[in-house]
Short mmCIF file of all heavy atoms in Angstrom, two decimals:
data_model
loop_
_atom_site.label_atom_id
_atom_site.label_comp_id
_atom_site.label_asym_id
_atom_site.label_seq_id
_atom_site.Cartn_x
_atom_site.Cartn_y
_atom_site.Cartn_z
N MET A 264 -11.68 -12.61 -25.61
CA MET A 264 -10.45 -13.25 -25.00
C MET A 264 -9.33 -12.29 -24.92
O MET A 264 -8.78 -12.12 -23.94
CB MET A 264 -10.12 -14.46 -25.87
CG MET A 264 -9.15 -15.43 -25.08
SD MET A 264 -9.78 -15.88 -23.53
CE MET A 264 -9.01 -17.45 -23.15
N ASP A 265 -9.10 -11.48 -25.96
CA ASP A 265 -8.13 -10.51 -25.99
C ASP A 265 -8.37 -9.42 -24.88
O ASP A 265 -7.48 -8.98 -24.26
CB ASP A 265 -7.94 -9.73 -27.31
CG ASP A 265 -7.30 -10.73 -28.35
OD1 ASP A 265 -6.73 -11.79 -27.94
OD2 ASP A 265 -7.42 -10.45 -29.56
N ASP A 266 -9.66 -9.04 -24.83
CA ASP A 266 -9.98 -8.07 -23.75
C ASP A 266 -9.68 -8.57 -22.40
O ASP A 266 -9.24 -7.91 -21.50
CB ASP A 266 -11.53 -7.79 -23.84
CG ASP A 266 -11.76 -6.72 -25.01
OD1 ASP A 266 -10.79 -6.26 -25.60
OD2 ASP A 266 -12.93 -6.54 -25.31
N MET A 267 -10.02 -9.86 -22.17
CA MET A 267 -9.76 -10.38 -20.86
C MET A 267 -8.18 -10.39 -20.50
O MET A 267 -7.82 -10.07 -19.44
CB MET A 267 -10.17 -11.94 -20.78
CG MET A 267 -11.77 -12.06 -20.54
SD MET A 267 -12.20 -11.18 -19.09
CE MET A 267 -11.75 -12.40 -17.86
N ASP A 268 -7.37 -10.69 -21.56
CA ASP A 268 -5.95 -10.66 -21.44
C ASP A 268 -5.50 -9.32 -20.90
O ASP A 268 -4.70 -9.11 -20.10
CB ASP A 268 -5.21 -11.20 -22.62
CG ASP A 268 -5.37 -12.67 -22.87
OD1 ASP A 268 -5.87 -13.22 -21.90
OD2 ASP A 268 -5.03 -13.09 -23.91
N ARG A 269 -6.03 -8.31 -21.67
CA ARG A 269 -5.68 -6.97 -21.39
C ARG A 269 -6.02 -6.58 -19.90
O ARG A 269 -5.32 -5.94 -19.20
CB ARG A 269 -6.28 -6.05 -22.37
CG ARG A 269 -5.55 -4.87 -22.60
CD ARG A 269 -5.74 -4.18 -24.02
NE ARG A 269 -7.12 -4.30 -24.49
CZ ARG A 269 -7.44 -4.62 -25.78
NH1 ARG A 269 -6.42 -4.84 -26.58
NH2 ARG A 269 -8.59 -4.75 -26.18
N VAL A 270 -7.29 -6.96 -19.61
CA VAL A 270 -7.69 -6.60 -18.19
C VAL A 270 -6.84 -7.23 -17.16
O VAL A 270 -6.42 -6.63 -16.23
CB VAL A 270 -9.22 -7.02 -18.04
CG1 VAL A 270 -9.59 -7.00 -16.56
CG2 VAL A 270 -10.05 -6.16 -18.77
N GLN A 271 -6.51 -8.48 -17.49
CA GLN A 271 -5.57 -9.24 -16.54
C GLN A 271 -4.28 -8.48 -16.35
O GLN A 271 -3.74 -8.35 -15.24
CB GLN A 271 -5.36 -10.65 -17.07
CG GLN A 271 -4.72 -11.57 -16.09
CD GLN A 271 -5.49 -11.85 -14.85
OE1 GLN A 271 -6.74 -11.97 -14.92
NE2 GLN A 271 -4.85 -11.89 -13.68
N GLY A 272 -3.72 -8.05 -17.45
CA GLY A 272 -2.39 -7.30 -17.39
C GLY A 272 -2.47 -6.06 -16.61
O GLY A 272 -1.71 -5.77 -15.72
N VAL A 273 -3.59 -5.31 -16.74
CA VAL A 273 -3.85 -4.09 -16.08
C VAL A 273 -3.91 -4.42 -14.48
O VAL A 273 -3.35 -3.75 -13.70
CB VAL A 273 -5.09 -3.34 -16.49
CG1 VAL A 273 -5.39 -2.24 -15.55
CG2 VAL A 273 -4.93 -2.79 -17.96
N ASN A 274 -4.67 -5.47 -14.24
CA ASN A 274 -4.82 -5.82 -12.86
C ASN A 274 -3.45 -6.13 -12.14
O ASN A 274 -3.19 -5.74 -11.02
CB ASN A 274 -5.72 -7.03 -12.66
CG ASN A 274 -7.18 -6.61 -12.53
OD1 ASN A 274 -7.43 -5.49 -12.27
ND2 ASN A 274 -8.08 -7.58 -12.82
N GLU A 275 -2.58 -6.83 -12.87
CA GLU A 275 -1.32 -7.15 -12.33
C GLU A 275 -0.51 -5.86 -12.08
O GLU A 275 0.19 -5.82 -11.06
CB GLU A 275 -0.63 -8.14 -13.27
CG GLU A 275 -0.99 -9.59 -12.86
CD GLU A 275 -0.65 -10.65 -14.00
OE1 GLU A 275 0.26 -10.24 -14.79
OE2 GLU A 275 -1.30 -11.64 -14.11
N ASP A 276 -0.50 -5.06 -13.07
CA ASP A 276 0.20 -3.83 -12.90
C ASP A 276 -0.35 -2.98 -11.71
O ASP A 276 0.45 -2.53 -10.91
CB ASP A 276 0.02 -2.85 -14.15
CG ASP A 276 0.86 -3.43 -15.33
OD1 ASP A 276 1.64 -4.27 -15.08
OD2 ASP A 276 0.71 -2.88 -16.40
N PHE A 277 -1.65 -2.97 -11.62
CA PHE A 277 -2.19 -2.26 -10.53
C PHE A 277 -1.88 -2.85 -9.14
O PHE A 277 -1.60 -2.19 -8.21
CB PHE A 277 -3.72 -2.24 -10.64
CG PHE A 277 -4.33 -1.44 -9.47
CD1 PHE A 277 -4.26 -0.07 -9.44
CD2 PHE A 277 -5.04 -2.07 -8.50
CE1 PHE A 277 -4.88 0.71 -8.36
CE2 PHE A 277 -5.60 -1.45 -7.48
CZ PHE A 277 -5.55 -0.05 -7.44
N GLN A 278 -1.87 -4.21 -9.11
CA GLN A 278 -1.58 -4.89 -7.86
C GLN A 278 -0.13 -4.56 -7.48
O GLN A 278 0.15 -4.38 -6.24
CB GLN A 278 -1.76 -6.43 -8.03
CG GLN A 278 -3.01 -6.85 -7.50
CD GLN A 278 -3.43 -8.25 -7.91
OE1 GLN A 278 -2.47 -9.05 -8.35
NE2 GLN A 278 -4.66 -8.59 -7.94
N GLU A 279 0.79 -4.55 -8.38
CA GLU A 279 2.18 -4.24 -8.14
C GLU A 279 2.31 -2.88 -7.57
O GLU A 279 2.95 -2.57 -6.64
CB GLU A 279 2.95 -4.43 -9.41
CG GLU A 279 4.28 -5.09 -9.16
CD GLU A 279 4.87 -5.63 -10.49
OE1 GLU A 279 4.44 -6.70 -10.94
OE2 GLU A 279 5.66 -4.89 -11.02
N PHE A 280 1.57 -1.94 -8.19
CA PHE A 280 1.57 -0.50 -7.81
C PHE A 280 1.04 -0.38 -6.39
O PHE A 280 1.60 0.26 -5.53
CB PHE A 280 0.74 0.27 -8.80
CG PHE A 280 0.45 1.63 -8.44
CD1 PHE A 280 1.39 2.61 -8.48
CD2 PHE A 280 -0.75 2.03 -7.96
CE1 PHE A 280 1.10 3.93 -8.07
CE2 PHE A 280 -1.07 3.16 -7.46
CZ PHE A 280 -0.11 4.26 -7.58
N ALA A 281 -0.16 -1.04 -6.11
CA ALA A 281 -0.75 -0.91 -4.83
C ALA A 281 0.14 -1.62 -3.81
O ALA A 281 0.20 -1.03 -2.64
CB ALA A 281 -2.10 -1.67 -4.86
N LEU A 282 0.73 -2.72 -4.09
CA LEU A 282 1.71 -3.27 -3.10
C LEU A 282 2.80 -2.34 -2.78
O LEU A 282 3.20 -2.25 -1.59
CB LEU A 282 2.22 -4.59 -3.70
CG LEU A 282 1.37 -5.87 -3.52
CD1 LEU A 282 2.06 -7.01 -4.25
CD2 LEU A 282 1.15 -6.16 -2.08
N GLY A 283 3.34 -1.70 -3.79
CA GLY A 283 4.43 -0.74 -3.53
C GLY A 283 3.98 0.40 -2.65
O GLY A 283 4.65 0.75 -1.71
N LEU A 284 2.84 0.85 -2.94
CA LEU A 284 2.27 1.99 -2.22
C LEU A 284 2.08 1.52 -0.84
O LEU A 284 2.26 2.31 0.12
CB LEU A 284 0.94 2.36 -2.89
CG LEU A 284 0.48 3.80 -2.62
CD1 LEU A 284 1.42 4.79 -3.35
CD2 LEU A 284 -0.94 3.93 -3.21
N ASN A 285 1.52 0.36 -0.69
CA ASN A 285 1.19 -0.16 0.69
C ASN A 285 2.42 -0.34 1.51
O ASN A 285 2.53 -0.01 2.74
CB ASN A 285 0.59 -1.48 0.59
CG ASN A 285 -0.30 -1.90 1.75
OD1 ASN A 285 -0.75 -1.01 2.42
ND2 ASN A 285 -0.34 -3.18 2.03
N ARG A 286 3.57 -0.80 0.87
CA ARG A 286 4.84 -0.94 1.60
C ARG A 286 5.33 0.43 2.12
O ARG A 286 5.74 0.53 3.17
CB ARG A 286 5.84 -1.52 0.64
CG ARG A 286 6.18 -3.02 0.95
CD ARG A 286 7.48 -3.36 0.35
NE ARG A 286 7.45 -3.26 -1.12
CZ ARG A 286 7.00 -4.14 -1.89
NH1 ARG A 286 6.42 -5.30 -1.35
NH2 ARG A 286 7.04 -4.06 -3.21
N ARG A 287 5.02 1.41 1.28
CA ARG A 287 5.54 2.72 1.61
C ARG A 287 4.62 3.37 2.63
O ARG A 287 5.23 4.22 3.37
CB ARG A 287 5.36 3.53 0.26
CG ARG A 287 6.11 4.79 0.19
CD ARG A 287 7.62 4.67 0.20
NE ARG A 287 8.13 5.93 0.70
CZ ARG A 287 9.10 6.09 1.60
NH1 ARG A 287 9.54 4.97 2.09
NH2 ARG A 287 9.39 7.23 1.99
N THR A 288 3.41 3.02 2.79
CA THR A 288 2.48 3.79 3.72
C THR A 288 1.90 2.83 4.77
O THR A 288 0.99 3.22 5.37
CB THR A 288 1.41 4.45 2.86
OG1 THR A 288 0.66 3.36 2.21
CG2 THR A 288 1.94 5.41 1.88
N ARG A 289 2.43 1.60 4.84
CA ARG A 289 1.87 0.69 5.83
C ARG A 289 1.87 1.32 7.16
O ARG A 289 2.88 1.98 7.57
CB ARG A 289 2.58 -0.61 5.85
CG ARG A 289 4.01 -0.62 6.46
CD ARG A 289 4.87 -1.70 5.90
NE ARG A 289 6.23 -1.23 5.93
CZ ARG A 289 7.18 -1.71 6.74
NH1 ARG A 289 6.92 -2.70 7.56
NH2 ARG A 289 8.39 -1.20 6.75
N GLU A 290 0.77 1.30 7.91
CA GLU A 290 0.79 2.01 9.20
C GLU A 290 -0.23 1.25 10.09
O GLU A 290 -1.42 1.58 10.15
CB GLU A 290 0.19 3.39 8.89
CG GLU A 290 0.60 4.37 9.98
CD GLU A 290 0.81 5.76 9.61
OE1 GLU A 290 0.98 6.01 8.38
OE2 GLU A 290 0.56 6.58 10.43
N PRO A 291 0.26 0.25 10.83
CA PRO A 291 -0.66 -0.46 11.75
C PRO A 291 -1.18 0.42 12.73
O PRO A 291 -0.48 1.30 13.22
CB PRO A 291 0.36 -1.47 12.40
CG PRO A 291 1.67 -1.47 11.54
CD PRO A 291 1.65 -0.17 10.83
N ALA A 292 -2.48 0.22 12.96
CA ALA A 292 -3.26 1.20 13.79
C ALA A 292 -2.72 1.14 15.21
O ALA A 292 -2.62 2.25 15.83
CB ALA A 292 -4.69 0.89 13.77
N ASN A 293 -2.34 0.07 15.73
CA ASN A 293 -1.82 -0.08 17.07
C ASN A 293 -0.47 -0.46 17.18
O ASN A 293 0.01 -1.28 17.92
CB ASN A 293 -2.76 -1.04 17.88
CG ASN A 293 -2.83 -2.41 17.12
OD1 ASN A 293 -2.23 -2.51 16.06
ND2 ASN A 293 -3.58 -3.32 17.70
N TYR A 294 0.45 0.17 16.35
CA TYR A 294 1.80 -0.18 16.28
C TYR A 294 2.44 0.32 17.64
O TYR A 294 2.30 1.52 18.05
CB TYR A 294 2.40 0.60 15.20
CG TYR A 294 3.97 0.31 15.08
CD1 TYR A 294 4.42 -0.90 14.63
CD2 TYR A 294 4.93 1.30 15.32
CE1 TYR A 294 5.76 -1.15 14.47
CE2 TYR A 294 6.26 1.10 15.18
CZ TYR A 294 6.65 -0.14 14.84
OH TYR A 294 8.02 -0.39 14.75
N THR A 295 3.18 -0.62 18.35
CA THR A 295 3.77 -0.23 19.58
C THR A 295 5.28 -0.48 19.60
O THR A 295 5.93 -0.47 20.57
CB THR A 295 3.14 -0.99 20.74
OG1 THR A 295 3.25 -2.38 20.42
CG2 THR A 295 1.68 -0.57 20.97
N GLY A 296 5.81 -0.82 18.37
CA GLY A 296 7.24 -1.17 18.26
C GLY A 296 8.08 0.05 18.40
O GLY A 296 7.59 1.21 18.54
N THR A 297 9.31 -0.09 18.50
CA THR A 297 10.19 1.00 18.80
C THR A 297 11.10 1.33 17.43
O THR A 297 12.04 2.16 17.50
CB THR A 297 11.23 0.69 19.89
OG1 THR A 297 11.94 -0.44 19.60
CG2 THR A 297 10.46 0.42 21.17
N GLU A 298 10.71 0.64 16.37
CA GLU A 298 11.44 0.85 15.15
C GLU A 298 10.67 1.70 14.13
O GLU A 298 9.44 1.67 14.12
CB GLU A 298 11.80 -0.47 14.45
CG GLU A 298 12.93 -1.21 15.17
CD GLU A 298 12.93 -2.64 14.95
OE1 GLU A 298 12.20 -3.18 14.03
OE2 GLU A 298 13.57 -3.43 15.66
N CYS A 299 11.39 2.50 13.40
CA CYS A 299 10.79 3.27 12.34
C CYS A 299 10.07 2.44 11.31
O CYS A 299 10.56 1.44 10.91
CB CYS A 299 11.83 4.23 11.75
SG CYS A 299 11.26 5.05 10.31
N LEU A 300 8.88 2.78 11.04
CA LEU A 300 8.13 1.99 10.08
C LEU A 300 8.75 2.03 8.65
O LEU A 300 8.51 1.12 7.83
CB LEU A 300 6.70 2.44 9.97
CG LEU A 300 5.75 2.13 11.14
CD1 LEU A 300 4.36 2.66 10.82
CD2 LEU A 300 5.65 0.60 11.30
N ASP A 301 9.42 3.06 8.39
CA ASP A 301 9.98 3.22 6.98
C ASP A 301 11.31 2.67 6.85
O ASP A 301 11.61 1.87 5.91
CB ASP A 301 9.97 4.78 6.57
CG ASP A 301 8.52 5.26 6.20
OD1 ASP A 301 7.73 4.34 6.09
OD2 ASP A 301 8.41 6.40 6.05
N CYS A 302 12.23 3.11 7.68
CA CYS A 302 13.66 2.59 7.50
C CYS A 302 14.01 1.48 8.56
O CYS A 302 15.07 0.98 8.39
CB CYS A 302 14.63 3.78 7.66
SG CYS A 302 14.71 4.50 9.29
N GLU A 303 13.12 1.25 9.43
CA GLU A 303 13.32 0.14 10.41
C GLU A 303 14.43 0.35 11.37
O GLU A 303 15.07 -0.60 11.90
CB GLU A 303 13.40 -1.24 9.60
CG GLU A 303 12.02 -1.54 9.10
CD GLU A 303 12.15 -2.69 8.03
OE1 GLU A 303 13.17 -3.36 7.98
OE2 GLU A 303 11.08 -2.95 7.41
N GLU A 304 14.92 1.58 11.42
CA GLU A 304 15.96 1.93 12.42
C GLU A 304 15.19 2.16 13.77
O GLU A 304 14.07 2.53 13.79
CB GLU A 304 16.59 3.20 12.04
CG GLU A 304 17.50 3.10 10.84
CD GLU A 304 18.81 2.35 11.10
OE1 GLU A 304 19.32 2.45 12.18
OE2 GLU A 304 19.32 1.63 10.16
N GLU A 305 15.95 1.91 14.82
CA GLU A 305 15.40 2.17 16.17
C GLU A 305 15.08 3.57 16.33
O GLU A 305 15.92 4.48 15.98
CB GLU A 305 16.46 1.78 17.17
CG GLU A 305 15.94 1.88 18.61
CD GLU A 305 15.27 0.57 19.17
OE1 GLU A 305 15.25 -0.40 18.43
OE2 GLU A 305 14.74 0.67 20.27
N ILE A 306 13.95 3.97 16.75
CA ILE A 306 13.62 5.40 17.00
C ILE A 306 14.21 5.73 18.38
O ILE A 306 14.00 5.01 19.35
CB ILE A 306 12.12 5.57 17.10
CG1 ILE A 306 11.42 5.19 15.73
CG2 ILE A 306 11.67 7.12 17.38
CD1 ILE A 306 9.99 5.16 15.76
N PRO A 307 14.94 6.82 18.46
CA PRO A 307 15.57 7.19 19.75
C PRO A 307 14.61 7.31 20.84
O PRO A 307 13.49 7.81 20.58
CB PRO A 307 16.29 8.60 19.42
CG PRO A 307 16.35 8.61 17.93
CD PRO A 307 15.26 7.78 17.34
N GLU A 308 14.95 6.93 21.99
CA GLU A 308 14.03 6.83 23.16
C GLU A 308 13.52 8.31 23.45
O GLU A 308 12.32 8.46 23.79
CB GLU A 308 14.73 6.25 24.31
CG GLU A 308 13.80 5.87 25.45
CD GLU A 308 14.46 5.29 26.68
OE1 GLU A 308 15.62 5.13 26.62
OE2 GLU A 308 13.71 5.26 27.72
N ASP A 309 14.40 9.26 23.23
CA ASP A 309 13.96 10.60 23.62
C ASP A 309 12.89 11.07 22.70
O ASP A 309 11.93 11.75 23.16
CB ASP A 309 15.21 11.55 23.29
CG ASP A 309 16.26 11.57 24.36
OD1 ASP A 309 15.91 10.85 25.38
OD2 ASP A 309 17.32 12.16 24.14
N ARG A 310 12.94 10.65 21.46
CA ARG A 310 11.89 11.04 20.49
C ARG A 310 10.58 10.28 20.82
O ARG A 310 9.47 10.90 20.79
CB ARG A 310 12.23 10.64 19.09
CG ARG A 310 11.19 10.79 18.03
CD ARG A 310 11.53 10.84 16.63
NE ARG A 310 10.59 10.68 15.69
CZ ARG A 310 9.59 11.62 15.49
NH1 ARG A 310 9.59 12.72 16.04
NH2 ARG A 310 8.64 11.33 14.57
N ARG A 311 10.75 9.01 21.25
CA ARG A 311 9.53 8.30 21.61
C ARG A 311 8.82 8.85 22.82
O ARG A 311 7.60 8.80 22.97
CB ARG A 311 9.95 6.77 21.83
CG ARG A 311 10.03 6.01 20.53
CD ARG A 311 10.22 4.55 20.65
NE ARG A 311 11.54 4.23 21.00
CZ ARG A 311 11.99 3.62 22.11
NH1 ARG A 311 11.14 3.17 22.94
NH2 ARG A 311 13.30 3.30 22.27
N LYS A 312 9.68 9.37 23.74
CA LYS A 312 9.16 10.00 24.97
C LYS A 312 8.46 11.28 24.64
O LYS A 312 7.42 11.69 25.07
CB LYS A 312 10.21 10.20 26.00
CG LYS A 312 10.47 9.01 26.90
CD LYS A 312 11.41 9.30 27.95
CE LYS A 312 11.93 8.06 28.69
NZ LYS A 312 13.23 8.22 29.30
N ALA A 313 9.13 12.04 23.72
CA ALA A 313 8.64 13.34 23.34
C ALA A 313 7.39 13.25 22.46
O ALA A 313 6.44 14.09 22.51
CB ALA A 313 9.73 14.08 22.53
N VAL A 314 7.31 12.22 21.67
CA VAL A 314 6.22 12.10 20.66
C VAL A 314 5.59 10.70 20.98
O VAL A 314 5.88 9.77 20.28
CB VAL A 314 6.53 12.20 19.34
CG1 VAL A 314 5.39 12.23 18.40
CG2 VAL A 314 7.44 13.43 19.08
N PRO A 315 4.76 10.51 21.96
CA PRO A 315 4.18 9.20 22.28
C PRO A 315 3.43 8.67 21.13
O PRO A 315 2.69 9.37 20.46
CB PRO A 315 3.19 9.48 23.46
CG PRO A 315 3.64 10.75 24.05
CD PRO A 315 4.19 11.57 22.91
N GLY A 316 3.71 7.36 20.84
CA GLY A 316 2.97 6.72 19.74
C GLY A 316 3.60 7.02 18.41
O GLY A 316 3.03 6.62 17.38
N CYS A 317 4.79 7.69 18.37
CA CYS A 317 5.41 7.96 17.03
C CYS A 317 5.85 6.70 16.45
O CYS A 317 6.20 5.70 16.99
CB CYS A 317 6.52 8.98 17.21
SG CYS A 317 7.95 8.32 17.99
N ARG A 318 5.76 6.60 15.08
CA ARG A 318 6.05 5.37 14.38
C ARG A 318 7.21 5.54 13.40
O ARG A 318 7.52 4.59 12.74
CB ARG A 318 4.88 4.91 13.62
CG ARG A 318 3.70 4.73 14.44
CD ARG A 318 2.40 4.88 13.57
NE ARG A 318 1.22 4.68 14.51
CZ ARG A 318 0.03 4.72 14.03
NH1 ARG A 318 -0.26 4.83 12.81
NH2 ARG A 318 -0.97 4.59 14.94
N ARG A 319 7.87 6.69 13.38
CA ARG A 319 8.89 6.96 12.44
C ARG A 319 10.00 7.80 13.07
O ARG A 319 9.71 8.56 13.95
CB ARG A 319 8.42 7.72 11.22
CG ARG A 319 7.50 6.88 10.38
CD ARG A 319 7.01 7.69 9.22
NE ARG A 319 6.19 6.86 8.26
CZ ARG A 319 4.99 6.60 8.43
NH1 ARG A 319 4.30 7.09 9.54
NH2 ARG A 319 4.25 5.72 7.65
N CYS A 320 11.15 7.59 12.51
CA CYS A 320 12.21 8.45 12.95
C CYS A 320 12.03 9.81 12.36
O CYS A 320 11.09 10.05 11.48
CB CYS A 320 13.59 7.94 12.49
SG CYS A 320 13.89 7.94 10.79
N ILE A 321 12.79 10.80 12.93
CA ILE A 321 12.49 12.21 12.46
C ILE A 321 12.57 12.38 10.97
O ILE A 321 11.68 12.99 10.42
CB ILE A 321 13.54 13.10 13.18
CG1 ILE A 321 13.21 13.12 14.73
CG2 ILE A 321 13.34 14.62 12.63
CD1 ILE A 321 14.30 13.83 15.51
N SER A 322 13.63 11.91 10.38
CA SER A 322 13.78 12.11 8.87
C SER A 322 12.62 11.46 8.07
O SER A 322 12.09 12.04 7.18
CB SER A 322 15.06 11.66 8.39
OG SER A 322 15.30 10.28 8.66
N CYS A 323 12.22 10.21 8.55
CA CYS A 323 11.15 9.54 7.78
C CYS A 323 9.83 10.20 8.03
O CYS A 323 9.01 10.30 7.18
CB CYS A 323 11.10 8.05 8.20
SG CYS A 323 12.52 7.05 7.58
N GLN A 324 9.68 10.70 9.25
CA GLN A 324 8.38 11.43 9.57
C GLN A 324 8.30 12.68 8.67
O GLN A 324 7.17 12.98 8.15
CB GLN A 324 8.42 11.79 11.04
CG GLN A 324 7.14 12.59 11.51
CD GLN A 324 5.93 11.65 11.33
OE1 GLN A 324 5.96 10.47 11.69
NE2 GLN A 324 4.85 12.20 10.90
N GLU A 325 9.40 13.36 8.56
CA GLU A 325 9.38 14.60 7.67
C GLU A 325 8.97 14.19 6.30
O GLU A 325 8.14 14.88 5.64
CB GLU A 325 10.65 15.36 7.80
CG GLU A 325 10.80 16.12 8.97
CD GLU A 325 12.27 16.70 9.22
OE1 GLU A 325 13.09 16.42 8.28
OE2 GLU A 325 12.42 17.40 10.11
N GLU A 326 9.67 13.16 5.74
CA GLU A 326 9.40 12.70 4.44
C GLU A 326 7.90 12.28 4.31
O GLU A 326 7.25 12.62 3.31
CB GLU A 326 10.26 11.52 4.09
CG GLU A 326 10.38 11.24 2.67
CD GLU A 326 11.19 10.02 2.38
OE1 GLU A 326 12.03 9.64 3.26
OE2 GLU A 326 10.90 9.26 1.38
N HIS A 327 7.42 11.59 5.31
CA HIS A 327 6.06 11.06 5.23
C HIS A 327 5.08 12.20 5.26
O HIS A 327 4.13 12.22 4.46
CB HIS A 327 5.88 10.17 6.55
CG HIS A 327 4.40 9.76 6.74
ND1 HIS A 327 3.90 8.73 5.92
CD2 HIS A 327 3.46 10.09 7.46
CE1 HIS A 327 2.63 8.44 6.27
NE2 HIS A 327 2.38 9.31 7.15
N GLU A 328 5.37 13.27 6.06
CA GLU A 328 4.37 14.36 6.04
C GLU A 328 4.44 15.10 4.72
O GLU A 328 3.46 15.60 4.21
CB GLU A 328 4.80 15.30 7.18
CG GLU A 328 4.17 14.86 8.52
CD GLU A 328 4.82 15.54 9.72
OE1 GLU A 328 5.41 16.57 9.53
OE2 GLU A 328 4.65 15.05 10.83
N LEU A 329 5.62 15.17 4.19
CA LEU A 329 5.82 15.83 2.87
C LEU A 329 4.99 15.05 1.74
O LEU A 329 4.20 15.55 0.98
CB LEU A 329 7.29 15.90 2.44
CG LEU A 329 7.76 16.96 1.54
CD1 LEU A 329 7.64 18.25 2.28
CD2 LEU A 329 9.20 16.71 1.14
N LEU A 330 5.09 13.64 1.89
CA LEU A 330 4.38 12.85 0.95
C LEU A 330 2.84 12.95 1.12
O LEU A 330 2.12 13.05 0.16
CB LEU A 330 4.74 11.37 1.08
CG LEU A 330 6.14 11.05 0.53
CD1 LEU A 330 6.44 9.51 0.81
CD2 LEU A 330 6.12 11.25 -1.03
N SER A 331 2.42 12.95 2.27
CA SER A 331 0.99 13.04 2.56
C SER A 331 0.41 14.41 2.13
O SER A 331 -0.62 14.52 1.69
CB SER A 331 0.55 12.91 4.04
OG SER A 331 1.63 12.29 4.79
N HIS A 332 1.30 15.42 2.27
CA HIS A 332 0.86 16.74 1.81
C HIS A 332 0.68 16.76 0.29
O HIS A 332 -0.31 17.31 -0.11
CB HIS A 332 2.00 17.72 2.18
CG HIS A 332 1.75 19.10 1.67
ND1 HIS A 332 0.80 19.97 2.18
CD2 HIS A 332 2.31 19.71 0.54
CE1 HIS A 332 0.86 21.08 1.45
NE2 HIS A 332 1.71 20.95 0.51
N TRP A 333 1.53 16.09 -0.36
CA TRP A 333 1.42 16.12 -1.81
C TRP A 333 0.30 15.24 -2.31
O TRP A 333 -0.31 15.39 -3.34
CB TRP A 333 2.77 15.67 -2.50
CG TRP A 333 3.68 16.79 -2.43
CD1 TRP A 333 4.86 16.86 -1.67
CD2 TRP A 333 3.64 18.06 -3.13
NE1 TRP A 333 5.48 18.10 -1.88
CE2 TRP A 333 4.76 18.80 -2.77
CE3 TRP A 333 2.74 18.60 -4.05
CZ2 TRP A 333 5.06 20.09 -3.27
CZ3 TRP A 333 3.02 19.90 -4.57
CH2 TRP A 333 4.11 20.61 -4.19
N ARG A 334 0.05 14.14 -1.46
CA ARG A 334 -0.98 13.17 -1.95
C ARG A 334 -2.40 13.77 -1.66
O ARG A 334 -3.25 13.45 -2.42
CB ARG A 334 -0.81 11.89 -1.00
CG ARG A 334 -1.10 10.64 -1.90
CD ARG A 334 -0.90 9.39 -1.06
NE ARG A 334 0.45 9.01 -0.89
CZ ARG A 334 1.09 8.68 0.22
NH1 ARG A 334 0.41 8.68 1.31
NH2 ARG A 334 2.31 8.41 0.29
N THR A 335 -2.51 14.62 -0.64
CA THR A 335 -3.77 15.20 -0.41
C THR A 335 -4.01 16.38 -1.36
O THR A 335 -3.25 17.32 -1.45
CB THR A 335 -3.86 15.75 1.03
OG1 THR A 335 -3.26 14.77 1.91
CG2 THR A 335 -5.28 16.03 1.49
N PRO A 336 -5.13 16.30 -2.14
CA PRO A 336 -5.45 17.40 -3.04
C PRO A 336 -5.72 18.69 -2.36
O PRO A 336 -6.29 18.65 -1.29
CB PRO A 336 -6.63 16.89 -3.90
CG PRO A 336 -6.93 15.50 -3.37
CD PRO A 336 -6.11 15.28 -2.12
ZN1 ZN B 689 13.16 6.10 9.53
#
């Protein structure tokens, strides 16, 4: 019983962690909106024309690439 309680606690911690991670990296495959996925600001039209299918504003994109760089071993 004690073991089960402990496992449950770990699961909840993990779920919270995974949810946070998911919020941070959510990336719909066919996203066609005009807002940045991270900060939800409108992506400038110039940038959307220059980078078709972009999903982030410039600063969030840079941060995202930095994060993916560190996440990839
Ligand atoms: Zn942004």
